[in-house]
Amino acid sequence: MSVMSDMIRAQFKEGDDIRDAGLTTPDGIKRFDDIAYGPDADWQLLDVYRPKDAEGKLPVIVSIHGGGWVYGDKERYQWYCMDLALRGFAVVNFTYRLAPEFQFPASMEDTCAVFAWTLDHADEYGFDTEHVFAVGDSAGGHMLGLFSNMCTNPTYAAKFDFAAPAGFVPTAVALNCGAYHIEVTDDPTDLTSALMADYLPEGGSERELDLVNVAPHVTDAFPPAYIMTCDGDFLHDAAEPLAKLLRKLGVMHELHIYGGIGEQLGHVFHCNMKSEEARRCNDDECRFFKRFL
């Protein structure tokens, strides 16, 4: 374990523990926990959440958690994902292999495996496979951008020795406070750049930076996207260039910047289930998804 990853895991956990203190499973949720989607019983596990009184197949949201590629799991994201499920969706919440124990592209391989699992288990868990959405925040937003490219750009997909499900493209995606441009610099204040030493086996070679940058591989087949950031997001400046690119390509998208005078919001504020602003953001994103039903 590196000093950087140790620090991130300790600091992020402390903040998340405070944020999530006292939360419990909502009465309206039926949950299925600790389902294996791969052979690694420690890392490759997922949960499924459904509204308890819902019958039949539901549109699906697959959530890719954040955490700087080195932190996070489905337990940390269960509250956010169950809140999404209350809005009328089945939600798949998964743990993926983290760096530095497992470096790129292990997390992307797990992401592909989870979407394949979702399609394969539609009858068992009541998934409407014609309407599979996805959300990702921070590092998870970055990964969702890459996954969307794998689904829509055959040239990019061919660079990997694993694949997204054949013919699959998310119905729409929500990219929340994400990192879409990755570079390696000597700037000690650039957290994303510093984490690449743990995430990338070659530390950020030209080949790796080509693989982990979202924008160069986006095509006009990219799924409809809800791009979200906020006034206090340290990745705030990443959102507009991606939206501008999608606009140029004619990809249906919306860019939303939350917060304002007297209500400064921070990075991934939408995961705070005690916050009215989080509720508003998550309502907005689910309304966006429902436009495609």
Side-chain angles (χ1 to χ4, degrees), residues 185-214:
T185 73
D186 295 327
D187 181 357
T189 67
D190 183 359
L191 179 61
T192 299
S193 179
L195 285 166
M196 290 302 103
D198 283 352
Y199 184 53
L200 300 176
E202 299 165 16
S205 66
E206 182 177 350
R207 180 190 71 85
E208 287 178 329
L209 291 177
D210 172 66
L211 289 174
V212 299
N213 268 289
V214 175

PDB file of all heavy atoms in Angstrom, residues 185-214:
ATOM      1  N   THR A 185       1.419  15.186 -13.802  1.00  0.00           N
ATOM      2  CA  THR A 185       2.214  16.400 -13.659  1.00  0.00           C
ATOM      3  C   THR A 185       3.046  16.323 -12.384  1.00  0.00           C
ATOM      4  O   THR A 185       2.897  15.399 -11.575  1.00  0.00           O
ATOM      5  CB  THR A 185       1.303  17.639 -13.593  1.00  0.00           C
ATOM      6  OG1 THR A 185       0.652  17.671 -12.306  1.00  0.00           O
ATOM      7  CG2 THR A 185       0.239  17.608 -14.695  1.00  0.00           C
ATOM      8  N   ASP A 186       3.881  17.316 -12.212  1.00  0.00           N
ATOM      9  CA  ASP A 186       4.692  17.418 -10.997  1.00  0.00           C
ATOM     10  C   ASP A 186       4.028  18.301  -9.942  1.00  0.00           C
ATOM     11  O   ASP A 186       4.619  18.578  -8.898  1.00  0.00           O
ATOM     12  CB  ASP A 186       6.076  17.991 -11.326  1.00  0.00           C
ATOM     13  CG  ASP A 186       6.892  17.063 -12.216  1.00  0.00           C
ATOM     14  OD1 ASP A 186       6.727  15.832 -12.078  1.00  0.00           O
ATOM     15  OD2 ASP A 186       7.678  17.571 -13.047  1.00  0.00           O
ATOM     16  N   ASP A 187       2.811  18.727 -10.194  1.00  0.00           N
ATOM     17  CA  ASP A 187       2.099  19.608  -9.271  1.00  0.00           C
ATOM     18  C   ASP A 187       1.672  18.813  -8.034  1.00  0.00           C
ATOM     19  O   ASP A 187       0.820  17.931  -8.119  1.00  0.00           O
ATOM     20  CB  ASP A 187       0.872  20.198  -9.966  1.00  0.00           C
ATOM     21  CG  ASP A 187       0.092  21.146  -9.074  1.00  0.00           C
ATOM     22  OD1 ASP A 187       0.458  21.307  -7.893  1.00  0.00           O
ATOM     23  OD2 ASP A 187      -0.901  21.728  -9.567  1.00  0.00           O
ATOM     24  N   PRO A 188       2.230  19.110  -6.869  1.00  0.00           N
ATOM     25  CA  PRO A 188       1.899  18.332  -5.665  1.00  0.00           C
ATOM     26  C   PRO A 188       0.466  18.529  -5.192  1.00  0.00           C
ATOM     27  O   PRO A 188      -0.030  17.746  -4.383  1.00  0.00           O
ATOM     28  CB  PRO A 188       2.904  18.842  -4.625  1.00  0.00           C
ATOM     29  CG  PRO A 188       3.255  20.220  -5.085  1.00  0.00           C
ATOM     30  CD  PRO A 188       3.204  20.180  -6.589  1.00  0.00           C
ATOM     31  N   THR A 189      -0.230  19.549  -5.693  1.00  0.00           N
ATOM     32  CA  THR A 189      -1.616  19.783  -5.290  1.00  0.00           C
ATOM     33  C   THR A 189      -2.616  19.074  -6.203  1.00  0.00           C
ATOM     34  O   THR A 189      -3.821  19.111  -5.935  1.00  0.00           O
ATOM     35  CB  THR A 189      -1.924  21.291  -5.293  1.00  0.00           C
ATOM     36  OG1 THR A 189      -1.880  21.791  -6.638  1.00  0.00           O
ATOM     37  CG2 THR A 189      -0.913  22.055  -4.445  1.00  0.00           C
ATOM     38  N   ASP A 190      -2.135  18.461  -7.263  1.00  0.00           N
ATOM     39  CA  ASP A 190      -3.018  17.777  -8.213  1.00  0.00           C
ATOM     40  C   ASP A 190      -3.232  16.347  -7.742  1.00  0.00           C
ATOM     41  O   ASP A 190      -2.426  15.460  -8.008  1.00  0.00           O
ATOM     42  CB  ASP A 190      -2.399  17.798  -9.612  1.00  0.00           C
ATOM     43  CG  ASP A 190      -3.301  17.155 -10.659  1.00  0.00           C
ATOM     44  OD1 ASP A 190      -4.404  16.674 -10.296  1.00  0.00           O
ATOM     45  OD2 ASP A 190      -2.902  17.111 -11.837  1.00  0.00           O
ATOM     46  N   LEU A 191      -4.345  16.113  -7.021  1.00  0.00           N
ATOM     47  CA  LEU A 191      -4.607  14.804  -6.428  1.00  0.00           C
ATOM     48  C   LEU A 191      -4.769  13.735  -7.490  1.00  0.00           C
ATOM     49  O   LEU A 191      -4.248  12.625  -7.347  1.00  0.00           O
ATOM     50  CB  LEU A 191      -5.866  14.882  -5.564  1.00  0.00           C
ATOM     51  CG  LEU A 191      -6.306  13.588  -4.888  1.00  0.00           C
ATOM     52  CD1 LEU A 191      -5.232  13.085  -3.933  1.00  0.00           C
ATOM     53  CD2 LEU A 191      -7.625  13.802  -4.154  1.00  0.00           C
ATOM     54  N   THR A 192      -5.509  14.045  -8.560  1.00  0.00           N
ATOM     55  CA  THR A 192      -5.727  13.052  -9.617  1.00  0.00           C
ATOM     56  C   THR A 192      -4.416  12.586 -10.211  1.00  0.00           C
ATOM     57  O   THR A 192      -4.185  11.387 -10.388  1.00  0.00           O
ATOM     58  CB  THR A 192      -6.630  13.642 -10.720  1.00  0.00           C
ATOM     59  OG1 THR A 192      -7.890  13.993 -10.158  1.00  0.00           O
ATOM     60  CG2 THR A 192      -6.842  12.631 -11.838  1.00  0.00           C
ATOM     61  N   SER A 193      -3.531  13.521 -10.512  1.00  0.00           N
ATOM     62  CA  SER A 193      -2.233  13.176 -11.072  1.00  0.00           C
ATOM     63  C   SER A 193      -1.432  12.315 -10.100  1.00  0.00           C
ATOM     64  O   SER A 193      -0.814  11.316 -10.496  1.00  0.00           O
ATOM     65  CB  SER A 193      -1.460  14.453 -11.404  1.00  0.00           C
ATOM     66  OG  SER A 193      -0.191  14.148 -11.930  1.00  0.00           O
ATOM     67  N   ALA A 194      -1.456  12.671  -8.820  1.00  0.00           N
ATOM     68  CA  ALA A 194      -0.695  11.906  -7.826  1.00  0.00           C
ATOM     69  C   ALA A 194      -1.197  10.471  -7.718  1.00  0.00           C
ATOM     70  O   ALA A 194      -0.410   9.532  -7.517  1.00  0.00           O
ATOM     71  CB  ALA A 194      -0.779  12.598  -6.470  1.00  0.00           C
ATOM     72  N   LEU A 195      -2.494  10.260  -7.862  1.00  0.00           N
ATOM     73  CA  LEU A 195      -3.061   8.922  -7.730  1.00  0.00           C
ATOM     74  C   LEU A 195      -2.705   8.008  -8.899  1.00  0.00           C
ATOM     75  O   LEU A 195      -2.813   6.786  -8.780  1.00  0.00           O
ATOM     76  CB  LEU A 195      -4.579   9.014  -7.588  1.00  0.00           C
ATOM     77  CG  LEU A 195      -5.070   9.486  -6.219  1.00  0.00           C
ATOM     78  CD1 LEU A 195      -6.541   9.875  -6.286  1.00  0.00           C
ATOM     79  CD2 LEU A 195      -4.853   8.406  -5.173  1.00  0.00           C
ATOM     80  N   MET A 196      -2.292   8.582 -10.006  1.00  0.00           N
ATOM     81  CA  MET A 196      -1.950   7.747 -11.159  1.00  0.00           C
ATOM     82  C   MET A 196      -0.765   6.820 -10.875  1.00  0.00           C
ATOM     83  O   MET A 196      -0.645   5.756 -11.486  1.00  0.00           O
ATOM     84  CB  MET A 196      -1.642   8.620 -12.379  1.00  0.00           C
ATOM     85  CG  MET A 196      -2.858   9.331 -12.955  1.00  0.00           C
ATOM     86  SD  MET A 196      -4.196   8.209 -13.468  1.00  0.00           S
ATOM     87  CE  MET A 196      -5.370   8.411 -12.104  1.00  0.00           C
ATOM     88  N   ALA A 197       0.090   7.204  -9.936  1.00  0.00           N
ATOM     89  CA  ALA A 197       1.213   6.325  -9.583  1.00  0.00           C
ATOM     90  C   ALA A 197       0.729   5.018  -9.002  1.00  0.00           C
ATOM     91  O   ALA A 197       1.365   3.972  -9.160  1.00  0.00           O
ATOM     92  CB  ALA A 197       2.134   7.041  -8.588  1.00  0.00           C
ATOM     93  N   ASP A 198      -0.424   5.054  -8.323  1.00  0.00           N
ATOM     94  CA  ASP A 198      -1.008   3.831  -7.763  1.00  0.00           C
ATOM     95  C   ASP A 198      -1.930   3.133  -8.746  1.00  0.00           C
ATOM     96  O   ASP A 198      -2.030   1.905  -8.752  1.00  0.00           O
ATOM     97  CB  ASP A 198      -1.801   4.159  -6.495  1.00  0.00           C
ATOM     98  CG  ASP A 198      -0.907   4.399  -5.294  1.00  0.00           C
ATOM     99  OD1 ASP A 198       0.313   4.161  -5.405  1.00  0.00           O
ATOM    100  OD2 ASP A 198      -1.422   4.828  -4.257  1.00  0.00           O
ATOM    101  N   TYR A 199      -2.600   3.912  -9.574  1.00  0.00           N
ATOM    102  CA  TYR A 199      -3.616   3.354 -10.465  1.00  0.00           C
ATOM    103  C   TYR A 199      -3.039   2.731 -11.728  1.00  0.00           C
ATOM    104  O   TYR A 199      -3.520   1.689 -12.192  1.00  0.00           O
ATOM    105  CB  TYR A 199      -4.595   4.478 -10.831  1.00  0.00           C
ATOM    106  CG  TYR A 199      -5.780   4.070 -11.665  1.00  0.00           C
ATOM    107  CD1 TYR A 199      -6.613   3.030 -11.271  1.00  0.00           C
ATOM    108  CD2 TYR A 199      -6.102   4.757 -12.828  1.00  0.00           C
ATOM    109  CE1 TYR A 199      -7.723   2.673 -12.029  1.00  0.00           C
ATOM    110  CE2 TYR A 199      -7.208   4.417 -13.588  1.00  0.00           C
ATOM    111  CZ  TYR A 199      -8.011   3.375 -13.185  1.00  0.00           C
ATOM    112  OH  TYR A 199      -9.102   3.036 -13.939  1.00  0.00           O
ATOM    113  N   LEU A 200      -2.018   3.348 -12.300  1.00  0.00           N
ATOM    114  CA  LEU A 200      -1.485   2.913 -13.585  1.00  0.00           C
ATOM    115  C   LEU A 200      -0.190   2.136 -13.411  1.00  0.00           C
ATOM    116  O   LEU A 200       0.756   2.638 -12.805  1.00  0.00           O
ATOM    117  CB  LEU A 200      -1.245   4.123 -14.492  1.00  0.00           C
ATOM    118  CG  LEU A 200      -2.492   4.965 -14.803  1.00  0.00           C
ATOM    119  CD1 LEU A 200      -2.107   6.188 -15.626  1.00  0.00           C
ATOM    120  CD2 LEU A 200      -3.540   4.133 -15.534  1.00  0.00           C
ATOM    121  N   PRO A 201      -0.104   0.918 -13.937  1.00  0.00           N
ATOM    122  CA  PRO A 201       1.096   0.091 -13.752  1.00  0.00           C
ATOM    123  C   PRO A 201       2.373   0.755 -14.243  1.00  0.00           C
ATOM    124  O   PRO A 201       3.449   0.560 -13.669  1.00  0.00           O
ATOM    125  CB  PRO A 201       0.785  -1.170 -14.564  1.00  0.00           C
ATOM    126  CG  PRO A 201      -0.690  -1.236 -14.627  1.00  0.00           C
ATOM    127  CD  PRO A 201      -1.166   0.193 -14.655  1.00  0.00           C
ATOM    128  N   GLU A 202       2.267   1.536 -15.325  1.00  0.00           N
ATOM    129  CA  GLU A 202       3.447   2.204 -15.889  1.00  0.00           C
ATOM    130  C   GLU A 202       3.569   3.641 -15.398  1.00  0.00           C
ATOM    131  O   GLU A 202       4.414   4.388 -15.890  1.00  0.00           O
ATOM    132  CB  GLU A 202       3.367   2.167 -17.419  1.00  0.00           C
ATOM    133  CG  GLU A 202       3.351   0.752 -17.983  1.00  0.00           C
ATOM    134  CD  GLU A 202       2.906   0.690 -19.443  1.00  0.00           C
ATOM    135  OE1 GLU A 202       2.908   1.750 -20.114  1.00  0.00           O
ATOM    136  OE2 GLU A 202       2.558  -0.405 -19.917  1.00  0.00           O
ATOM    137  N   GLY A 203       2.715   4.025 -14.441  1.00  0.00           N
ATOM    138  CA  GLY A 203       2.812   5.348 -13.847  1.00  0.00           C
ATOM    139  C   GLY A 203       2.322   6.483 -14.705  1.00  0.00           C
ATOM    140  O   GLY A 203       2.472   7.653 -14.354  1.00  0.00           O
ATOM    141  N   GLY A 204       1.743   6.160 -15.857  1.00  0.00           N
ATOM    142  CA  GLY A 204       1.235   7.209 -16.733  1.00  0.00           C
ATOM    143  C   GLY A 204       2.002   7.325 -18.024  1.00  0.00           C
ATOM    144  O   GLY A 204       2.326   8.427 -18.484  1.00  0.00           O
ATOM    145  N   SER A 205       2.293   6.186 -18.649  1.00  0.00           N
ATOM    146  CA  SER A 205       2.964   6.194 -19.953  1.00  0.00           C
ATOM    147  C   SER A 205       2.031   6.786 -21.011  1.00  0.00           C
ATOM    148  O   SER A 205       0.825   6.948 -20.795  1.00  0.00           O
ATOM    149  CB  SER A 205       3.353   4.778 -20.354  1.00  0.00           C
ATOM    150  OG  SER A 205       2.183   3.986 -20.580  1.00  0.00           O
ATOM    151  N   GLU A 206       2.576   7.095 -22.164  1.00  0.00           N
ATOM    152  CA  GLU A 206       1.762   7.637 -23.260  1.00  0.00           C
ATOM    153  C   GLU A 206       0.639   6.668 -23.622  1.00  0.00           C
ATOM    154  O   GLU A 206      -0.496   7.079 -23.869  1.00  0.00           O
ATOM    155  CB  GLU A 206       2.648   7.907 -24.480  1.00  0.00           C
ATOM    156  CG  GLU A 206       1.913   8.523 -25.653  1.00  0.00           C
ATOM    157  CD  GLU A 206       2.832   8.843 -26.813  1.00  0.00           C
ATOM    158  OE1 GLU A 206       4.062   8.769 -26.640  1.00  0.00           O
ATOM    159  OE2 GLU A 206       2.321   9.168 -27.909  1.00  0.00           O
ATOM    160  N   ARG A 207       0.949   5.378 -23.643  1.00  0.00           N
ATOM    161  CA  ARG A 207      -0.063   4.372 -23.959  1.00  0.00           C
ATOM    162  C   ARG A 207      -1.176   4.372 -22.915  1.00  0.00           C
ATOM    163  O   ARG A 207      -2.366   4.344 -23.254  1.00  0.00           O
ATOM    164  CB  ARG A 207       0.587   2.979 -24.014  1.00  0.00           C
ATOM    165  CG  ARG A 207      -0.382   1.846 -24.342  1.00  0.00           C
ATOM    166  CD  ARG A 207       0.280   0.494 -24.139  1.00  0.00           C
ATOM    167  NE  ARG A 207       0.485   0.222 -22.726  1.00  0.00           N
ATOM    168  CZ  ARG A 207      -0.444  -0.307 -21.930  1.00  0.00           C
ATOM    169  NH1 ARG A 207      -1.646  -0.597 -22.405  1.00  0.00           N
ATOM    170  NH2 ARG A 207      -0.186  -0.529 -20.659  1.00  0.00           N
ATOM    171  N   GLU A 208      -0.806   4.439 -21.637  1.00  0.00           N
ATOM    172  CA  GLU A 208      -1.805   4.425 -20.579  1.00  0.00           C
ATOM    173  C   GLU A 208      -2.667   5.683 -20.592  1.00  0.00           C
ATOM    174  O   GLU A 208      -3.891   5.613 -20.419  1.00  0.00           O
ATOM    175  CB  GLU A 208      -1.121   4.282 -19.215  1.00  0.00           C
ATOM    176  CG  GLU A 208      -0.559   2.904 -18.948  1.00  0.00           C
ATOM    177  CD  GLU A 208       0.142   2.817 -17.608  1.00  0.00           C
ATOM    178  OE1 GLU A 208       0.704   3.845 -17.168  1.00  0.00           O
ATOM    179  OE2 GLU A 208       0.128   1.738 -16.992  1.00  0.00           O
ATOM    180  N   LEU A 209      -2.052   6.823 -20.791  1.00  0.00           N
ATOM    181  CA  LEU A 209      -2.820   8.060 -20.797  1.00  0.00           C
ATOM    182  C   LEU A 209      -3.799   8.097 -21.959  1.00  0.00           C
ATOM    183  O   LEU A 209      -4.894   8.669 -21.841  1.00  0.00           O
ATOM    184  CB  LEU A 209      -1.883   9.270 -20.830  1.00  0.00           C
ATOM    185  CG  LEU A 209      -1.078   9.489 -19.541  1.00  0.00           C
ATOM    186  CD1 LEU A 209      -0.132  10.666 -19.704  1.00  0.00           C
ATOM    187  CD2 LEU A 209      -1.993   9.702 -18.345  1.00  0.00           C
ATOM    188  N   ASP A 210      -3.443   7.475 -23.052  1.00  0.00           N
ATOM    189  CA  ASP A 210      -4.404   7.346 -24.149  1.00  0.00           C
ATOM    190  C   ASP A 210      -5.598   6.511 -23.703  1.00  0.00           C
ATOM    191  O   ASP A 210      -6.749   6.869 -23.984  1.00  0.00           O
ATOM    192  CB  ASP A 210      -3.734   6.694 -25.363  1.00  0.00           C
ATOM    193  CG  ASP A 210      -4.740   6.358 -26.455  1.00  0.00           C
ATOM    194  OD1 ASP A 210      -5.317   7.299 -27.041  1.00  0.00           O
ATOM    195  OD2 ASP A 210      -4.973   5.160 -26.700  1.00  0.00           O
ATOM    196  N   LEU A 211      -5.364   5.441 -22.989  1.00  0.00           N
ATOM    197  CA  LEU A 211      -6.441   4.543 -22.577  1.00  0.00           C
ATOM    198  C   LEU A 211      -7.351   5.158 -21.520  1.00  0.00           C
ATOM    199  O   LEU A 211      -8.550   4.862 -21.478  1.00  0.00           O
ATOM    200  CB  LEU A 211      -5.856   3.231 -22.040  1.00  0.00           C
ATOM    201  CG  LEU A 211      -5.213   2.292 -23.057  1.00  0.00           C
ATOM    202  CD1 LEU A 211      -4.550   1.117 -22.347  1.00  0.00           C
ATOM    203  CD2 LEU A 211      -6.247   1.784 -24.054  1.00  0.00           C
ATOM    204  N   VAL A 212      -6.809   6.002 -20.638  1.00  0.00           N
ATOM    205  CA  VAL A 212      -7.600   6.479 -19.500  1.00  0.00           C
ATOM    206  C   VAL A 212      -8.189   7.869 -19.704  1.00  0.00           C
ATOM    207  O   VAL A 212      -8.847   8.391 -18.805  1.00  0.00           O
ATOM    208  CB  VAL A 212      -6.792   6.455 -18.183  1.00  0.00           C
ATOM    209  CG1 VAL A 212      -6.349   5.051 -17.851  1.00  0.00           C
ATOM    210  CG2 VAL A 212      -5.619   7.422 -18.224  1.00  0.00           C
ATOM    211  N   ASN A 213      -7.992   8.465 -20.865  1.00  0.00           N
ATOM    212  CA  ASN A 213      -8.622   9.749 -21.138  1.00  0.00           C
ATOM    213  C   ASN A 213      -9.923   9.548 -21.890  1.00  0.00           C
ATOM    214  O   ASN A 213      -9.973   8.833 -22.891  1.00  0.00           O
ATOM    215  CB  ASN A 213      -7.671  10.674 -21.895  1.00  0.00           C
ATOM    216  CG  ASN A 213      -6.869  11.532 -20.942  1.00  0.00           C
ATOM    217  OD1 ASN A 213      -7.405  12.438 -20.313  1.00  0.00           O
ATOM    218  ND2 ASN A 213      -5.586  11.211 -20.795  1.00  0.00           N
ATOM    219  N   VAL A 214     -10.979  10.166 -21.387  1.00  0.00           N
ATOM    220  CA  VAL A 214     -12.311   9.951 -21.937  1.00  0.00           C
ATOM    221  C   VAL A 214     -12.499  10.663 -23.274  1.00  0.00           C
ATOM    222  O   VAL A 214     -12.907  10.066 -24.274  1.00  0.00           O
ATOM    223  CB  VAL A 214     -13.385  10.427 -20.936  1.00  0.00           C
ATOM    224  CG1 VAL A 214     -14.775  10.326 -21.553  1.00  0.00           C
ATOM    225  CG2 VAL A 214     -13.310   9.612 -19.648  1.00  0.00           C
TER     226      VAL A 214
END
